[in-house]
Amino acid sequence: MQISEFRFLRCGNLCAPVSGAVISFANVRMSERLNDVQLNAWLRCFPTSLRLSQADLQQPLALLIPRLLLAFTDQARLQPASARLLHQSDTSLQIWLPVDDHLAAQAAAGLITHMVEAWQVGKPPDATTARLWASLSSRFWNQTHAHLARAAQQLGIPFHLVDQGQQPLLQLGQGCQLRLFRETLTDRTPLFAQATANKEALHRLLLHRGVPLPAQEVVTSLEQALAAAERIGWPVVLKPAAGGKGRGVWVGLSSPEALQQAWQSQDQDSSPRQLVQQTLPGADHRLLVMEGQLLATAQRQPASLCSDGLRPLRQQIAALNADPQRGVAYERLMNQVPVDGRLNLLLAEQGLSLDATPTAGTPVQLSRTANISQGGTAIDCSDQVHPDNHRLALDIARLIGSDVLGLDLISQDIGVSWRQGGTWLLEANLCPGLRPHLVANPQSDLCQRIVRRWLGASPQGRIPTALITGSVGKTTASRMLAHVLGSTGLRVGLSSSTGMELDGEEIASGDVAGGGAALHLLMDRRVEALVAEIARGGLLKSGLGLERADVGAVLNVLDNHVGMEGIRSREDLARIKAVVAQAADRLLVLNADDPLVLAMAQNRDRASIALVSQAPGNAAWQAHRRAGHLAVSYGSDPDGTISLHRQNREQLQIRLRDIPASDHGAIDTIAPAAAFTAALAVGLNLQPSQILDGLRGFGLQASHSRGRFETLFKTPWELTLCSADGPEAMASVSRYALTKTAAQPRRRLLLVSSPDSRPDDFVRQVGQETGAFDLVICAAWYKRGNRTEQEVPSLLAEGVRRLAPGGPEVLIAGVEAEAVNVLAHQIQPGDFCVVCSFDSDTMRERLLRLLGPGQGVSPAGTDPTA
């Protein structure tokens, strides 16, 4: 059995609204059933509590594999979910696995493949098994992060797990509103406070400050420890001077022999600096202080049970550990009780052993420490804390200088003032776990209160976000909206097919029209608003990645990608684009003239929809406008206008020629871009005057247009760089050329290319829309392995030649780099030229190098290959 395909899709994809992996397995023996005894033995070698039944293990491989995948990744998912079979043949399986982390999904698939192959040849678990399990378990959600992320989800606050290897960070909020956390250690915890994480340093800081502390001494040898115990008085506690989670802590050591045994057990895994501490009477309490407020108090209780009088303690402890709330390590709220040498010693002190069956009702202590990580439990006592003890907790937090603190107090009665004795501070944790409080009160809204407090003045943690998709025009609309937002003073992050930008400055080049780049910008504290162009490829290959955006737009659905990657029709393409429509929360802007786009309005509140139409007579658009909803119309001729209507009145109007990017109305594609931009801007709460100011400032310069009708030269020839993907876009380019040369007839030249991934007829149709030009140079975007260098240019030329007699002259070039050389030897002073390229940055450099002032272009008609 092998993994034949693996694809991870972020939340917002064609399979589900949540993140997950599409995993394909080949050479699967579908009906084979594995020996469940052997399988159980394998599963027991993994330190985890798998949610699998015996019936699951007896299923044939076709059913067992999805169940194993789901069980192994249980701790890599925030919400319960089910795996789904996408495709099955005689020897292959394709499975949808909901999971939050792509590396967890990869590791689980690899582990299961390894296990099945080993079972089939009778091999036991080996080093590879351990390595694969370590890879998987390292990607599990941290319990604190998971509970905080669920709370954020319930509050509608965006969150993201920032991969930092072994220590991931939890991000709450977006852009300039984000906060970062490592469990409960925050991005605002002072360095001075972090220096007191060591128990020894903390004790020195608080000594002589009026804080009740136990007697303790730092020791580095057994001899020193025995002497310290004599001075302090038996019984004592032995624990590392640094560390946490109850690891290495021995409580109630009442004799030199007990201390010696505990010390020797520390040699393997503990710091050489140990604390010998006074044993204090009372219960262990955890107080959670955050930013000057005591949020919760829990009394932690050591693990114990009440004997049933029927079974040996070994079996009773196993039943206790089988509680689904208990897990191994930190995978559940509570931990299983460790069955180890410490437990044997503790049972012996009670006159018991693991094989003993105490009388029914006999209480049995199973741990000396009250830590949840050692199998303990907790009860909530937040309402019982005496005001003096409350004040003490806040004073300690202020002395340490920490914004978040978990205080461990030993108290005989937390409801009695510490001033009367009976209460001592044991430890202060700068990164306190939340499990004691969540175990004590599972219904508590503690995590929600923490998240709200952390985000403070920005309770939702959101910045304005806009997603734009469609077959053509989405890049121009994205750049235009980013400019309009930026003109209001916001620092705008833009991701599009022209690169990634902040404040109009490029920070990453290339085509980044997808959710991955948008997520990257949302992790940048400088970003105050986000505009993201979302392309088909990114949605298919990796999903959207944003559960929701404030506004979204679908411009059109055309044939550009029909015939590619399993897309058989415009309807298929519409289903992909609809992922963006589903993510639009506040306002969805749709093209009312495109039936497939208009259909995305179904099952949605009409008040959250804006319709855009070129034909104000469009029935759906008219009904929407009469109902008082947002409706925008536009005219594409040079004297056309963009008009925005809402609440039965016109709130905004601008002439196309008044938008500089339209080149005095010659570029008709600016009209729909401006219409969609205006609607999206209204959804982002911009005022009509702000929108108009932004549109009037959007021009043809590179920083605005970036290869979308960007004027490169005015003299000695006029040359415009643009992109034209499909016959509709090329028709617009032809109209532009005719408009620009109507008043002053000139020779019109076109360099046009197409990717080799487009179907033959589609490429020919592009060529058929070039009739406005006198000379058409046909090229390929770049050469790939599945077509010859001349095939795409020849298809374009074939389309040009289908035009009526007297149509354009045609020259066939190779790839774009060669076509530029051909153009350089054909262009003459006074010519009007348009270059359509799919790589505007590279093409701009080539054109400036060959055609710029003083570049010494050879006379027209010279053989470029001479």
Side-chain angles (χ1 to χ4, degrees):
M1 189 174 87
Q2 299 92 31
I3 301 168
S4 57
E5 180 194 11
F6 179 90
R7 187 158 37 101
F8 185 77
L9 301 176
R10 295 181 292 260
C11 62
N13 56 71
L14 288 178
C15 291
V18 298
S19 297
V22 176
I23 309 172
S24 297
F25 296 94
N27 300 324
V28 183
R29 303 173 190 173
M30 295 293 178
S31 59
E32 181 179 12
R33 283 180 167 83
L34 302 176
N35 181 302
D36 59 331
V37 175
Q38 184 186 14
L39 181 54
N40 266 316
W42 260 79
L43 296 179
R44 280 196 296 272
C45 82
F46 301 121
T48 187
S49 48
L50 295 172
R51 292 178 174 172
L52 283 166
S53 68
Q54 200 61 33
D56 288 330
L57 303 183
Q58 295 169 351
Q59 297 289 337
L61 274 181
L63 297 177
L64 175 62
I65 289 172
R67 285 170 167 77
L68 286 174
L69 278 172
L70 202 64
F72 276 132
T73 56
D74 183 52
Q75 298 304 311
R77 249 187 320 278
L78 272 187
Q79 303 298 337
S82 298
R84 188 168 79 248
L85 182 65
L86 299 178
H87 176 75
Q88 180 177 347
S89 70
D90 292 342
T91 60
S92 65
L93 282 175
Q94 187 178 64
I95 297 166
W96 165 252
L97 175 66
V99 61
D100 299 334
D101 182 87
H102 73 287
L103 292 177
Q106 282 180 332
L111 179 61
I112 287 169
T113 301
H114 162 75
M115 290 169 64
V116 170
E117 290 177 341
W119 291 329
Q120 290 171 338
V121 297
K123 287 178 60 178
D126 57 16
T128 299
T129 314
R131 177 179 57 78
L132 288 168
W133 171 255
S135 296
L136 172 59
S137 59
S138 70
R139 309 304 300 185
F140 287 169
W141 271 97
N142 169 285
Q143 278 286 327
T144 300
H145 285 166
H147 280 90
L148 292 171
R150 290 191 190 100
Q153 199 170 49
Q154 292 160 1
L155 294 169
I157 294 168
F159 64 89
H160 180 69
L161 203 61
V162 182
D163 193 350
Q164 295 287 327
Q166 296 300 311
Q167 292 187 316
L169 303 178
L170 178 65
Q171 175 183 320
L172 299 178
Q174 303 168 329
C176 63
Q177 303 291 351
L178 72 80
R179 295 285 310 276
L180 289 172
F181 310 91
R182 179 169 291 142
E183 298 188 30
T184 53
L185 187 68
T186 85
D187 51 12
R188 296 178 187 170
T189 300
L191 286 174
F192 171 77
Q194 295 181 39
T196 63
N198 181 289
K199 299 180 179 74
E200 178 185 352
L202 174 72
H203 196 271
R204 284 201 304 268
L205 172 68
L206 298 181
L207 195 63
H208 309 306
R209 307 251 180 188
V211 176
L213 300 169
Q216 72 175 39
E217 294 186 28
V218 180
V219 298
T220 57
S221 67
L222 176 59
E223 291 72 19
Q224 291 178 3
L226 291 169
E230 292 294 338
R231 287 190 292 272
I232 291 171
W234 303 93
V236 294
V237 177
L238 178 69
K239 59 184 175 182
K245 310 295 185 185
R247 289 185 290 265
V249 177
W250 291 81
V251 178
L253 302 175
S254 55
S255 67
E257 294 76 21
L259 178 56
Q260 180 178 0
Q261 188 173 14
W263 182 272
Q264 291 169 347
S265 73
Q266 302 285 67
D267 289 345
Q268 301 298 320
D269 55 9
S270 293
S271 163
R273 295 180 69 81
Q274 299 280 320
L275 295 180
V276 176
Q277 196 175 74
Q278 171 189 8
T279 296
L280 301 168
D284 185 310
H285 295 78
R286 166 60 64 83
L287 285 70
L288 180 65
V289 180
M290 179 178 292
E291 297 176 353
Q293 182 178 354
L294 178 60
L295 293 187
T297 301
Q299 184 186 112
R300 297 186 292 189
Q301 300 178 323
S304 64
L305 61 78
C306 185
S307 177
D308 61 12
L310 302 174
R311 297 169 294 174
L313 283 176
R314 188 186 309 275
Q315 294 182 18
Q316 295 188 55
I317 295 170
L320 183 71
N321 285 340
D323 182 343
Q325 293 289 334
R326 292 183 181 271
V328 176
Y330 301 98
E331 63 182 15
R332 303 272 193 267
L333 264 184
M334 292 192 295
N335 274 24
Q336 294 182 359
V337 176
V339 180
D340 54 16
R342 294 187 187 211
L343 177 60
N344 290 328
L345 286 174
L346 183 58
L347 291 177
E349 290 178 11
Q350 300 171 72
L352 300 169
S353 71
L354 287 170
D355 296 319
T357 305
T359 306
T362 301
V364 180
Q365 187 178 353
L366 303 177
S367 174
R368 296 182 189 275
T369 64
N371 297 77
I372 303 297
S373 57
Q374 299 300 310
T377 60
I379 58 175
D380 185 69
C381 53
S382 300
D383 296 334
Q384 302 169 23
V385 181
H386 189 277
D388 287 348
N389 298 340
H390 186 144
R391 178 63 178 271
L392 175 66
L394 301 187
D395 281 349
I396 294 171
R398 180 174 294 182
L399 283 166
I400 294 173
S402 178
D403 54 343
V404 179
L405 202 61
L407 299 175
D408 293 342
L409 297 183
I410 292 291
S411 180
Q412 294 172 312
D413 187 343
I414 199 69
V416 173
S417 171
W418 67 272
R419 300 177 188 281
Q420 298 182 28
T423 295
W424 300 265
L425 172 71
L426 278 186
E427 295 179 12
N429 301 274
L430 293 178
C431 185
L434 301 176
R435 293 201 299 177
H437 308 289
L438 299 176
V439 169
N441 185 1
Q443 308 307 316
S444 168
D445 65 345
L446 174 65
C447 289
Q448 291 189 21
R449 285 187 283 132
I450 290 173
V451 169
R452 286 196 198 100
R453 194 167 187 85
W454 274 341
L455 291 178
S458 176
Q460 291 299 308
R462 294 186 178 274
I463 62 172
T465 50
L467 307 178
I468 300 174
T469 193
S471 293
V472 296
K474 57 186 180 294
T475 302
T476 298
S478 299
R479 298 192 65 81
M480 187 180 290
L481 179 60
H483 173 80
V484 170
L485 288 169
S487 67
T488 68
L490 291 172
R491 301 194 73 183
V492 181
L494 169 67
S495 58
S496 74
S497 59
T498 56
M500 190 186 302
E501 298 177 19
L502 175 62
D503 277 347
E505 295 290 331
E506 183 179 87
I507 56 177
S509 60
D511 184 348
V512 290
L519 282 174
H520 185 84
L521 287 168
L522 290 174
M523 296 165 62
D524 190 326
R525 293 182 189 271
R526 299 171 296 174
V527 175
E528 297 173 347
L530 170 77
V531 179
E533 176 188 348
I534 305 296
R536 159 211 54 89
L539 287 172
L540 280 178
K541 295 172 185 175
S542 55
L544 185 57
L546 282 75
E547 288 189 359
R548 53 163 280 202
D550 291 322
V551 298
V554 184
L555 278 60
N556 41 54
V557 177
L558 302 175
D559 291 332
N560 302 50
H561 300 99
V562 174
M564 298 171 56
E565 297 177 310
I567 300 172
R568 295 164 296 180
S569 65
R570 287 190 180 187
E571 286 74 16
D572 285 348
L573 194 55
R575 281 191 286 274
I576 298 170
K577 304 292 185 185
V579 172
V580 170
Q582 292 157 7
D585 183 46
R586 189 185 303 165
L587 183 72
L588 172 61
V589 187
L590 298 174
N591 184 349
D593 299 332
D594 187 325
L596 290 174
V597 176
L598 185 60
M600 297 177 193
Q602 293 178 2
N603 304 318
R604 190 177 174 108
D605 180 6
R606 294 286 161 166
S608 69
I609 293 173
L611 294 185
V612 174
S613 176
Q614 185 175 9
N618 180 302
W621 185 90
Q622 284 285 3
H624 197 71
R625 183 185 64 81
R626 285 195 299 268
H629 303 315
L630 188 59
V632 189
S633 63
Y634 67 93
S636 295
D637 57 280
D639 293 317
T641 61
I642 295 94
S643 301
L644 185 145
H645 304 263
R646 196 176 196 182
Q647 297 173 346
N648 293 310
R649 65 187 183 89
E650 185 178 77
Q651 295 188 346
L652 178 153
Q653 185 181 91
I654 185 173
R655 294 188 307 170
L656 175 58
R657 65 172 62 253
D658 291 335
I659 302 173
S662 74
D663 200 357
H664 305 287
I667 305 174
D668 55 15
T669 54
I670 292 298
F676 277 92
T677 293
L680 290 166
V682 168
L684 293 172
N685 296 326
L686 267 63
Q687 297 301 310
S689 60
Q690 295 175 304
I691 300 170
L692 288 171
D693 287 346
L695 293 175
R696 290 180 181 128
F698 187 71
L700 290 169
Q701 59 265 49
S703 60
H704 292 182
S705 299
R706 286 294 296 274
R708 270 56 181 173
F709 289 99
E710 176 188 340
T711 300
L712 287 185
F713 305 112
K714 288 286 190 179
T715 58
W717 36 68
E718 187 171 355
L719 189 147
T720 296
L721 175 62
C722 73
S723 174
D725 186 10
E728 294 85 359
M730 182 51 64
S732 175
V733 171
S734 287
R735 292 192 297 271
Y736 169 64
L738 290 172
T739 303
K740 286 289 289 183
T741 58
Q744 181 186 356
R746 291 176 279 170
R747 191 170 72 127
R748 297 183 290 266
L749 282 67
L750 171 68
L751 190 162
V752 59
S753 66
S754 177
D756 71 351
S757 56
R758 306 296 193 259
D760 290 1
D761 283 343
F762 181 89
V763 179
R764 292 188 188 98
Q765 289 168 23
V766 173
Q768 286 180 259
E769 296 294 343
T770 62
F773 293 91
D774 301 299
L775 172 64
V776 178
I777 301 170
C778 301
W781 177 18
Y782 58 84
K783 183 172 61 177
R784 296 184 184 175
N786 58 338
R787 287 190 192 266
T788 66
E789 186 173 303
Q790 297 296 318
E791 190 172 348
V792 169
S794 296
L795 288 169
L796 286 168
E798 186 179 333
V800 178
R801 292 181 180 124
R802 287 182 178 181
L803 294 167
E809 178 187 354
V810 181
L811 291 177
I812 297 178
V815 293
E816 285 186 352
E818 299 165 356
V820 174
N821 292 322
V822 175
L823 174 65
H825 290 279
Q826 291 294 326
I827 196 167
Q828 301 174 20
D831 284 348
F832 177 83
C833 180
V834 177
V835 175
C836 294
S837 172
F838 286 80
D839 185 353
S840 58
D841 289 342
T842 302
M843 180 57 78
R844 184 186 301 107
E845 291 177 8
R846 289 174 179 147
L847 292 170
L848 292 173
R849 185 171 63 249
L850 284 173
L851 301 178
Q855 297 304 315
V857 178
S858 301
T862 302
D863 180 4
T865 63

